[in-house]
Structures are given as C-alpha cells and as structure tokens.
Amino acid sequence: MARVSKKTRPPRRTAPASAPGREDPGTLVERMMGSLWQAVATADPLRAELEAATCMALPRVGRLAPGDAQAFIDRVLVQEAIREPSADGAAVLRLLMSLGSPATKRSASKGLARLTEAGTYPPDWVTEVGKAVPDRAWRRYDVFGDDEAIAVTFRYGEAEHGIVGQIDLTGLPVAIAVGVAANGAKLIEAVQREDDPFDRSEEISLAEARRHLEAPLARGDEEADQATSVDTVAYFPVARSRVRRLPAEDAAALPVFTAGDRAAAVDDFLKSPLAAEVVAADEDATRFWAEVLTGYSSRLPGEAPGQVGPRKIAHLLLGHVPNTFTLSAAQRQHLEPVVTAWIRWSAEHRGLDEAATARLAESLPEVFGRFGAAYDDPEAVTARSYLADVAVSDADVSGLATHVARRMFAVPVPGPATDVSDPAVRRALTEAEFGACTPHAGLTQEEFLAAAHRVIAELWDDDPQETFQAARRLFAAGADRHDIIHTLAEKG
C-alpha cells in the first residue's frame, strides 16, 4: 500500500476533536458525542459534518459486524437525538441522513419524522449541509503513473474548505487516504509545491476531478481495513458527498487504446536496440514478457501501453504474474533480462529523464529477489489455477479479472495449493458443500447434487451466460452465494 505523501496531506488541525484514540470505549463514545453536540451548537456545517462522520465511523474502527454497527448508530446516535427533542437533535438527524449508509438514512429519517410531528424542526443552517459549492480542482501525480492526489475546494457561503484523495494506481485505482482541510487555499498550495523531482501538478476541471475520485473513493470506502487511518475512514462519507456535487459531464474524453495498440507497442519493443540481446537469447520468452508487461500497463481506460512505475512493477511481478500465469522454465529464466530491457524501453518510450529512468531501474533488484517466493507461494498456486485455461500472455487484463470474479463465485478459494482447474477437484468441492443440502423442489438428493454440479460448471465456463446473469440478480437482491447456487440448481 502506498504511503500518503506529506505534501498532499491536509493540516492536522482539520481533524475533528472527537477522533477516536486509545481510551476506554465508554469514555470515547461519551467524548465523541459531546464533540458532535458542541459542533452542532456552533452552526458550522463543515465541523458538524466531520464530527457526525467520525461518530458514525466508530463501529467500523472497532470492527463491529454490520448488524452490530447499525445497532450502535441507532442506539447511540439516532435515539440520543430523539430522547430530548430539540432543534440540535433534529440537526444531528439531518447530518446522519446526509452522510449515513442507506440503513442509517432510513433510521434517521424516521427519527426526524417523529420530531417534526411533535413540532421540533432542525435549524435553517443544517439544510445547507452537503450542498457545498465546488470551486477549483488540482491533480498532483508522479511521472511514473503509480499514484495521484486530487484536491477540490468548496464553499459554504464565503468559507472555503477542501478535500483531497490520495489514489493508488498500481492496481484498480483506490483511495488509500482522504483528508478534509478547513483552508482550501493552503491545500491547493500544498498540492502545487515543487518539492519532489518526480511529481507534477496541474489544474483540472471539476468534471475531471469527479472522474478521478468517484470510483476510487467508493472502492476505498468498501475495502478500508486496519491499515486505513481512522480519519480516512471517517472522512470517506464527507468526500463522497462532495464528489456528488461535481459535474458528471464535460470531462475531456479519455484516449482509447486497443489490443492493436498493445500489439504495436510489443513489436516496437522487440525491434528496439534495447531488446536485441534478449530477443537473440529467446524470442518466445521475450515476447511473452513483453505482452504481459504491456497488457498490464494499459489495462485502465486512458492508460497507454508502456506505463509503469517502481510500485506498479512490484505489484505486477509480485501479485499479478504469480496469481495469473503458469510459467515455463525458460520464461522464469528470462524474467530478469527481459523485464530490465522492457523497463528501459518504457522509460525511453515515455521520454523519462535520466533521474526517473534510474529510479525505475533501481527498484528492480528487490522485486527480482522476491519473485521466486511470490510465485511459489501455495496461495498463488491456487489463484492461478482459476485462470489456467485462459491466461495467455496477450489476454485482456480486464477480461481475466472478470473470469476470476465469476469463477471464484462458482468455487470459493479452497486451501492453498489446490488445483481448481481440475474438474474432479471442483466436483469434490461441490459435493462437500452441497452434499448435505435438502432440496425443496421435488428433487432427489442425487438429482439436486447433479444440478448443483451443472450450475457450477455453467458459472465456471460462463456458458450459458444467463446462469451468471441470474446469479447476479439474486446477489443484488441480497441472497448469499450458497443460497443462490442452491436456488439455481432447484430451478433446473
């Protein structure tokens, strides 16, 4: 996970007074609630949002189960706001409705309805919460394409503030840190600061800012784990509400790079003087690695073939390759010379200067030293067995991701070093999971198990596609994976 750059981190004073620390849980909750009520009393929309968001983050920070987390919010936040009816209590409920999950919004809405029916209404200032007016946006990025920070300023009346999202681009773009700054001008100044030779900054449109932030924020919020800072967990709802205020149209169209563009880049590398030695040693292994590297480097919309940085090459060689490709002895033998040549070609192809090229090259020895252990890891052995029949070197990376997602739905990851590409192994796993199920549609146990085998085979092969489409509809409706397959097997 990328380290958040200090130059894009908002001032420390923007953290709400109630940010969770290491103290007695009861004392912590009391302190947080006190800070929320104090913020509401000041009628400061930004401060009130941050305090409410921090209170709602406490169950996630404490790793409560979803049901327990919602029960905490209902009991500690919603019911507390209702217990002694007041305009401030109604304001708290409006804050929860603005920033909370769908379940929190419903609970807070019901609570506010109770207050308004009794003649208690929220103060006028709280109706503006979440309606901050966007102003300007800036992007700070490294020349390698490994990460970026997007900062946007907003106004509540004359008061300006800003949000910043640090985006890791080594895999699927994901927000790994979020900040809120009470002083938007200082935030932009920090983004523009020229204190790293490999960083660049540019002003971008508000629509472009939304395109850079929206999906990574959603992904980061969903995937937040113990490594995610408390402030970031708390600020995700605030940042996402701000991004929804940005225009969705008028962003410049992204360039489109096709399989033909990737193939042309591979041929360009193979014909370059930098590749002459490795091509002479083993042209097939050289082409294999060139296709793998070029395919991964252009997997995202708008990303040209050949885009790679120190952290992305590590992600590619220590994660993507071990989890995707079964390598021959020749391919393993030629990994280091081919990747080294391709890295230098990539730097030249993109016009990187000598310092950036050297920084890129110096990251390789450590990655090469760790590759063997990563490839031989039993969990990686299992992971690549999901793609054994489709993971060719020039395969579309997004297509491979789709295969993995569908097949892991069909057959959840078993123990390490299990070859799920073997139909007999998948059959044994299906029997272990569904052998004791009781059919409910007039099927015998044997008929039901045969139907479960058929459904899992159809999901694995995506043939017919209607099976996975039906599974997705059931999942969207709230059913879990086991029940979905059970249901599809009974329907025949």
Side-chain angles (χ1 to χ4, degrees):
M1 180 172 287
R3 178 173 55 84
V4 179
S5 171
K6 291 181 180 178
K7 56 186 168 285
T8 56
R9 191 176 290 160
R12 291 182 61 85
R13 65 175 177 272
T14 61
S18 59
R22 294 183 177 181
E23 57 185 285
D24 174 74
T27 303
L28 172 62
V29 170
E30 184 177 349
R31 180 173 62 82
M32 289 174 64
M33 288 300 299
S35 294
L36 172 57
W37 287 100
Q38 290 172 13
V40 168
T42 67
D44 181 334
L46 178 61
R47 181 181 170 189
E49 282 180 289
L50 297 181
E51 295 294 353
T54 302
C55 286
M56 286 189 291
L58 183 58
R60 293 185 65 182
V61 173
R63 306 295 163 190
L64 296 184
D68 293 336
Q70 189 57 48
F72 172 90
I73 290 173
D74 289 344
R75 182 181 70 257
V76 176
L77 296 175
V78 176
Q79 293 304 318
E80 178 68 18
I82 296 171
R83 189 169 295 114
E84 295 184 7
S86 67
D88 284 354
V92 168
L93 295 172
R94 282 296 298 265
L95 288 163
L96 300 181
M97 291 167 61
S98 174
L99 298 170
S101 67
T104 296
K105 291 178 188 291
R106 289 192 296 270
S107 179
S109 179
K110 291 178 181 178
L112 184 59
R114 287 177 56 184
L115 292 186
T116 56
E117 286 174 3
T120 300
Y121 297 90
D124 290 340
W125 68 266
V126 82
T127 62
E128 297 303 310
V129 164
K131 299 178 183 178
V133 178
D135 188 7
R136 296 189 302 161
W138 286 80
R139 172 178 178 248
R140 187 179 181 112
Y141 60 97
D142 72 83
V143 297
F144 306 110
D146 279 348
D147 62 44
E148 64 184 10
I150 309 298
V152 189
T153 59
F154 295 84
R155 291 185 181 278
Y156 273 134
E158 295 301 315
E160 184 182 55
H161 64 277
I163 65 164
V164 59
Q166 186 85 10
I167 314 299
D168 184 347
L169 301 174
T170 57
L172 282 176
V174 58
I176 58 171
V178 175
V180 180
N183 190 319
K186 286 189 176 181
L187 174 61
I188 296 301
E189 180 182 327
V191 170
Q192 294 178 288
R193 191 174 301 137
E194 297 180 1
D195 57 358
D196 189 314
F198 303 127
D199 276 7
R200 305 289 184 270
S201 64
E202 62 181 356
E203 188 167 8
I204 60 176
S205 72
L206 294 173
E208 288 175 309
R210 178 168 183 157
R211 184 168 65 192
H212 282 271
L213 283 171
E214 190 163 30
L217 283 172
R219 196 171 291 121
D221 196 1
E222 180 181 346
E223 298 176 3
D225 57 22
Q226 290 182 341
T228 307
S229 75
V230 173
D231 284 351
T232 290
V233 172
Y235 293 156
F236 269 128
V238 177
R240 294 182 69 183
S241 74
R242 290 296 186 275
V243 169
R244 289 193 291 270
R245 301 290 296 172
L246 301 177
E249 306 297 333
D250 300 327
L254 291 173
V256 176
F257 297 99
T258 65
D261 295 315
R262 294 192 291 272
V266 169
D267 288 340
D268 185 39
F269 166 70
L270 294 175
K271 294 174 183 176
S272 73
L274 290 168
E277 187 174 336
V278 291
V279 169
D282 190 324
E283 183 173 355
D284 289 341
T286 302
R287 177 173 288 278
F288 170 84
W289 284 113
E291 289 177 341
V292 169
L293 292 160
T294 302
Y296 187 84
S297 72
S298 60
R299 73 206 183 285
L300 300 175
E303 190 173 88
Q307 184 79 21
V308 72
R311 291 193 299 103
K312 189 174 293 182
I313 195 66
H315 189 92
L316 192 161
L317 292 180
L318 302 180
H320 174 63
V321 169
N323 291 333
T324 305
F325 299 101
T326 300
L327 303 178
S328 68
Q331 288 162 353
R332 291 193 68 165
Q333 179 182 351
H334 286 81
L335 163 67
E336 293 188 25
V338 177
V339 171
T340 300
W342 188 89
I343 284 287
R344 294 192 177 280
W345 169 84
S346 169
E348 182 180 278
H349 183 70
R350 290 182 284 156
L352 297 183
D353 61 24
E354 290 185 8
T357 301
R359 173 70 186 88
L360 195 51
E362 73 185 15
S363 68
L364 292 178
E366 180 185 357
V367 175
F368 292 151
R370 295 168 56 194
F371 179 81
Y375 183 80
D376 296 331
D377 187 288
E379 292 184 0
V381 173
T382 298
R384 60 180 176 263
S385 71
Y386 280 87
L387 294 169
D389 58 330
V390 294
V392 293
S393 56
D394 62 349
D396 181 83
V397 174
S398 61
L400 293 178
T402 300
H403 277 297
V404 169
R406 190 188 66 255
R407 288 180 171 184
M408 285 188 174
F409 180 85
V411 182
V413 178
T418 302
D419 183 8
V420 296
S421 67
D422 185 344
V425 171
R426 298 200 298 273
R427 177 170 287 273
L429 292 170
T430 302
E431 290 176 356
E433 180 179 2
F434 292 94
C437 289
T438 302
H440 300 296
L443 299 175
T444 66
Q445 194 72 25
E446 292 75 15
E447 289 171 336
F448 171 76
L449 193 55
H453 284 306
R454 173 186 54 76
V455 169
I456 288 176
E458 291 175 354
L459 291 170
W460 184 269
D461 295 325
D462 200 22
D463 183 22
Q465 295 180 346
E466 289 76 12
T467 302
F468 190 49
Q469 291 169 0
R472 293 178 67 177
R473 288 194 295 271
L474 290 169
F475 186 79
D480 66 25
R481 175 200 156 273
H482 178 93
D483 290 343
I484 289 169
I485 294 175
H486 189 117
T487 298
L488 293 176
E490 288 187 336
K491 288 184 177 178

